[in-house]
Amino acid sequence: MEFNEKLQELRKSRGLTQEELAKELFVSRTAVSKWESGRGYPNIESLKEISRYFSVSIDELICPDEIIVAAENERRDLIGKYTALICGLLDIMTALLLFIPVFGNGDSAAAVPLFGLTDTPAWIVAVYAAVIGVTVLNGICAVIISRFDRPLWDRHRLYTGVALSVIAVFLFIITRQPYAGIMCFSILIIKGCLIVRSHNNKKQNP
Protein backbone atom coordinates (compact mmCIF):
# COMPACT_ATOMS: atom_id res chain seq x y z
CA MET A 1 0.00 0.00 0.00
CA GLU A 2 1.38 3.40 -0.97
CA PHE A 3 1.48 6.51 1.18
CA ASN A 4 -1.64 8.16 -0.31
CA GLU A 5 -3.71 5.03 0.36
CA LYS A 6 -2.34 4.70 3.91
CA LEU A 7 -3.17 8.33 4.65
CA GLN A 8 -6.73 7.94 3.36
CA GLU A 9 -7.19 4.80 5.45
CA LEU A 10 -5.83 6.47 8.60
CA ARG A 11 -8.00 9.55 8.10
CA LYS A 12 -11.16 7.52 7.55
CA SER A 13 -10.39 5.35 10.58
CA ARG A 14 -10.66 8.52 12.68
CA GLY A 15 -13.83 9.61 10.87
CA LEU A 16 -12.21 12.84 9.69
CA THR A 17 -12.79 14.87 6.56
CA GLN A 18 -9.81 16.21 4.63
CA GLU A 19 -10.50 19.67 6.03
CA GLU A 20 -10.59 18.40 9.62
CA LEU A 21 -7.33 16.50 9.14
CA ALA A 22 -5.74 19.58 7.58
CA LYS A 23 -6.58 21.61 10.71
CA GLU A 24 -5.07 18.94 12.95
CA LEU A 25 -1.86 18.92 10.87
CA PHE A 26 -1.73 22.72 10.47
CA VAL A 27 -1.76 22.52 6.67
CA SER A 28 -4.27 23.46 3.97
CA ARG A 29 -7.06 21.16 2.80
CA THR A 30 -5.51 21.39 -0.67
CA ALA A 31 -2.30 19.86 0.69
CA VAL A 32 -4.15 16.89 2.20
CA SER A 33 -6.10 16.43 -1.04
CA LYS A 34 -2.86 16.44 -3.04
CA TRP A 35 -1.25 13.86 -0.75
CA GLU A 36 -4.27 11.55 -0.84
CA SER A 37 -4.55 11.72 -4.63
CA GLY A 38 -0.90 10.72 -5.02
CA ARG A 39 0.04 14.05 -6.65
CA GLY A 40 2.67 14.85 -4.05
CA TYR A 41 4.21 14.03 -0.70
CA PRO A 42 4.30 16.01 2.55
CA ASN A 43 7.58 17.56 3.62
CA ILE A 44 9.57 16.02 6.45
CA GLU A 45 7.95 18.21 9.12
CA SER A 46 4.46 17.29 7.93
CA LEU A 47 5.42 13.60 7.87
CA LYS A 48 6.50 13.89 11.52
CA GLU A 49 3.19 15.58 12.36
CA ILE A 50 1.19 12.83 10.59
CA SER A 51 3.24 10.18 12.38
CA ARG A 52 2.63 11.84 15.75
CA TYR A 53 -1.09 12.41 15.17
CA PHE A 54 -1.86 8.84 14.08
CA SER A 55 0.69 7.25 16.47
CA VAL A 56 2.49 5.37 13.70
CA SER A 57 6.14 5.39 12.71
CA ILE A 58 7.31 7.20 9.60
CA ASP A 59 8.52 3.84 8.26
CA GLU A 60 4.95 2.54 8.49
CA LEU A 61 3.65 5.60 6.65
CA ILE A 62 6.06 5.80 3.77
CA CYS A 63 8.61 3.52 2.13
CA PRO A 64 12.30 4.52 1.69
CA ASP A 65 11.84 5.30 -2.03
CA GLU A 66 8.92 7.60 -1.25
CA ILE A 67 10.97 9.32 1.48
CA ILE A 68 13.69 10.08 -1.08
CA VAL A 69 11.11 11.54 -3.48
CA ALA A 70 9.55 13.60 -0.66
CA ALA A 71 12.95 14.93 0.43
CA GLU A 72 13.85 15.85 -3.17
CA ASN A 73 10.50 17.60 -3.65
CA GLU A 74 11.05 19.53 -0.44
CA ARG A 75 14.55 20.57 -1.56
CA ARG A 76 13.21 21.83 -4.91
CA ASP A 77 10.41 23.73 -3.16
CA LEU A 78 12.93 25.37 -0.84
CA ILE A 79 15.10 26.44 -3.78
CA GLY A 80 12.06 27.99 -5.47
CA LYS A 81 11.00 29.64 -2.21
CA TYR A 82 14.41 31.19 -1.56
CA THR A 83 14.70 32.31 -5.18
CA ALA A 84 11.39 34.16 -4.83
CA LEU A 85 12.49 35.59 -1.46
CA ILE A 86 15.82 36.92 -2.79
CA CYS A 87 14.11 38.41 -5.84
CA GLY A 88 11.60 40.05 -3.49
CA LEU A 89 14.42 41.60 -1.50
CA LEU A 90 15.96 42.87 -4.75
CA ASP A 91 12.61 44.49 -5.59
CA ILE A 92 12.63 46.21 -2.20
CA MET A 93 16.16 47.48 -2.93
CA THR A 94 14.68 49.39 -5.86
CA ALA A 95 13.51 51.89 -3.22
CA LEU A 96 17.10 53.20 -3.24
CA LEU A 97 16.23 54.93 -6.52
CA LEU A 98 14.03 57.29 -4.50
CA PHE A 99 16.93 58.51 -2.40
CA ILE A 100 20.30 58.11 -4.10
CA PRO A 101 21.50 60.58 -6.78
CA VAL A 102 21.31 58.57 -10.01
CA PHE A 103 19.12 60.85 -12.11
CA GLY A 104 20.44 63.33 -14.64
CA ASN A 105 18.89 66.78 -14.25
CA GLY A 106 18.81 68.34 -17.70
CA ASP A 107 22.14 69.91 -18.72
CA SER A 108 23.47 69.82 -15.17
CA ALA A 109 26.48 67.55 -14.74
CA ALA A 110 25.48 66.64 -11.20
CA ALA A 111 23.20 63.68 -10.59
CA VAL A 112 20.29 64.17 -8.20
CA PRO A 113 17.78 61.97 -6.32
CA LEU A 114 14.42 61.35 -7.97
CA PHE A 115 12.56 64.15 -6.23
CA GLY A 116 15.44 66.54 -6.89
CA LEU A 117 14.64 66.57 -10.60
CA THR A 118 13.72 70.07 -11.72
CA ASP A 119 14.12 69.95 -15.51
CA THR A 120 11.89 66.88 -15.93
CA PRO A 121 8.10 67.13 -16.36
CA ALA A 122 6.22 66.34 -13.17
CA TRP A 123 4.23 63.56 -14.84
CA ILE A 124 7.42 61.70 -15.80
CA VAL A 125 8.71 61.97 -12.22
CA ALA A 126 5.33 60.60 -11.08
CA VAL A 127 5.65 57.66 -13.50
CA TYR A 128 9.16 56.94 -12.17
CA ALA A 129 7.86 57.02 -8.59
CA ALA A 130 4.86 54.82 -9.47
CA VAL A 131 7.01 52.12 -11.12
CA ILE A 132 9.46 52.14 -8.22
CA GLY A 133 6.64 52.10 -5.66
CA VAL A 134 4.80 49.18 -7.28
CA THR A 135 8.08 47.23 -7.57
CA VAL A 136 8.86 47.80 -3.88
CA LEU A 137 5.30 46.81 -2.91
CA ASN A 138 5.64 43.61 -4.97
CA GLY A 139 8.90 42.86 -3.14
CA ILE A 140 7.28 43.37 0.27
CA CYS A 141 4.43 41.02 -0.73
CA ALA A 142 6.98 38.44 -1.94
CA VAL A 143 8.84 38.54 1.39
CA ILE A 144 5.59 38.15 3.35
CA ILE A 145 4.31 35.33 1.11
CA SER A 146 7.63 33.47 1.42
CA ARG A 147 6.72 32.77 5.06
CA PHE A 148 3.81 30.61 3.88
CA ASP A 149 3.71 27.33 1.96
CA ARG A 150 2.30 28.80 -1.25
CA PRO A 151 4.63 27.99 -4.21
CA LEU A 152 2.10 29.34 -6.74
CA TRP A 153 1.95 32.69 -4.96
CA ASP A 154 5.78 32.76 -4.85
CA ARG A 155 5.91 32.25 -8.62
CA HIS A 156 3.33 34.97 -9.26
CA ARG A 157 5.30 37.53 -7.24
CA LEU A 158 8.56 36.35 -8.83
CA TYR A 159 7.41 36.81 -12.42
CA THR A 160 5.57 40.05 -11.59
CA GLY A 161 8.85 41.37 -10.17
CA VAL A 162 10.73 40.40 -13.34
CA ALA A 163 8.11 42.15 -15.49
CA LEU A 164 8.35 45.30 -13.36
CA SER A 165 12.16 45.28 -13.65
CA VAL A 166 11.90 45.03 -17.44
CA ILE A 167 9.45 47.95 -17.48
CA ALA A 168 11.77 50.03 -15.28
CA VAL A 169 14.80 49.33 -17.51
CA PHE A 170 12.93 50.36 -20.67
CA LEU A 171 11.41 53.40 -18.96
CA PHE A 172 14.76 54.75 -17.78
CA ILE A 173 16.50 54.00 -21.09
CA ILE A 174 13.76 55.67 -23.16
CA THR A 175 13.80 58.76 -20.94
CA ARG A 176 17.62 58.91 -20.99
CA GLN A 177 18.33 58.09 -17.36
CA PRO A 178 21.24 55.67 -17.89
CA TYR A 179 22.40 55.33 -14.28
CA ALA A 180 18.94 54.39 -13.00
CA GLY A 181 18.56 52.10 -16.01
CA ILE A 182 21.88 50.37 -15.29
CA MET A 183 20.89 49.82 -11.66
CA CYS A 184 17.56 48.25 -12.66
CA PHE A 185 19.25 46.22 -15.40
CA SER A 186 21.74 44.83 -12.86
CA ILE A 187 18.88 43.76 -10.60
CA LEU A 188 17.14 42.18 -13.60
CA ILE A 189 20.28 40.21 -14.52
CA ILE A 190 20.64 38.89 -10.96
CA LYS A 191 16.98 37.82 -10.97
CA GLY A 192 17.43 36.11 -14.33
CA CYS A 193 20.47 34.16 -13.11
CA LEU A 194 18.58 33.02 -9.99
CA ILE A 195 15.54 31.90 -11.99
CA VAL A 196 17.63 30.05 -14.60
CA ARG A 197 19.58 28.31 -11.85
CA SER A 198 16.35 27.29 -10.11
CA HIS A 199 14.84 25.94 -13.36
CA ASN A 200 18.02 24.04 -14.24
CA ASN A 201 17.96 22.42 -10.82
CA LYS A 202 14.38 21.25 -11.40
CA LYS A 203 15.28 19.80 -14.79
CA GLN A 204 18.25 17.91 -13.35
CA ASN A 205 16.07 16.52 -10.56
CA PRO A 206 12.61 16.01 -12.09
Side-chain angles (χ1 to χ4, degrees):
M1 188 182 295
E2 297 194 2
F3 169 76
N4 62 313
E5 297 170 320
K6 292 175 186 175
L7 182 60
Q8 286 183 53
E9 188 175 275
L10 288 168
R11 175 177 62 79
K12 290 175 181 177
S13 71
R14 293 281 183 98
L16 299 172
T17 64
Q18 288 185 344
E19 187 170 354
E20 289 169 337
L21 178 59
K23 288 180 181 177
E24 294 292 338
L25 300 177
F26 308 104
V27 298
S28 66
R29 190 201 65 78
T30 304
V32 174
S33 174
K34 183 172 73 174
W35 300 340
E36 289 194 355
S37 65
R39 291 182 288 113
Y41 294 98
N43 60 30
I44 302 303
E45 288 305 313
S46 293
L47 274 174
K48 289 179 181 177
E49 195 63 31
I50 294 168
S51 171
R52 181 200 62 77
Y53 182 74
F54 288 112
S55 301
V56 295
S57 69
I58 290 178
D59 287 341
E60 291 178 86
L61 275 175
I62 192 166
C63 71
D65 287 343
E66 289 177 316
I67 290 177
I68 293 171
V69 172
E72 187 56 44
N73 287 343
E74 183 176 9
R75 189 178 72 85
R76 287 203 304 271
D77 287 345
L78 280 175
I79 290 172
K81 184 175 184 176
Y82 285 123
T83 296
L85 173 61
I86 294 170
C87 288
L89 293 172
L90 288 170
D91 282 343
I92 293 172
M93 280 180 57
T94 307
L96 292 173
L97 290 170
L98 296 172
F99 309 106
I100 61 177
V102 292
F103 292 91
N105 196 25
D107 295 330
S108 173
V112 296
L114 176 62
F115 296 112
L117 289 170
T118 55
D119 290 344
T120 303
W123 71 269
I124 293 181
V125 175
V127 171
Y128 289 163
V131 170
I132 294 169
V134 172
T135 302
V136 172
L137 183 60
N138 184 75
I140 292 170
C141 290
V143 171
I144 294 171
I145 288 170
S146 70
R147 299 177 62 85
F148 303 94
D149 185 21
R150 295 289 187 276
L152 184 60
W153 293 2
D154 285 335
R155 285 197 294 275
H156 283 170
R157 296 282 64 76
L158 177 62
Y159 292 121
T160 300
V162 170
L164 287 167
S165 291
V166 170
I167 291 170
V169 170
F170 277 106
L171 174 64
F172 292 131
I173 289 174
I174 290 170
T175 55
R176 298 183 180 179
Q177 294 292 349
Y179 297 122
I182 289 170
M183 183 174 173
C184 289
F185 185 69
S186 299
I187 290 174
L188 180 60
I189 290 296
I190 295 170
K191 287 181 182 178
C193 290
L194 289 169
I195 292 170
V196 168
R197 184 176 179 183
S198 176
H199 283 189
N200 286 343
N201 185 276
K202 288 182 180 178
K203 286 180 181 178
Q204 291 170 3
N205 303 279

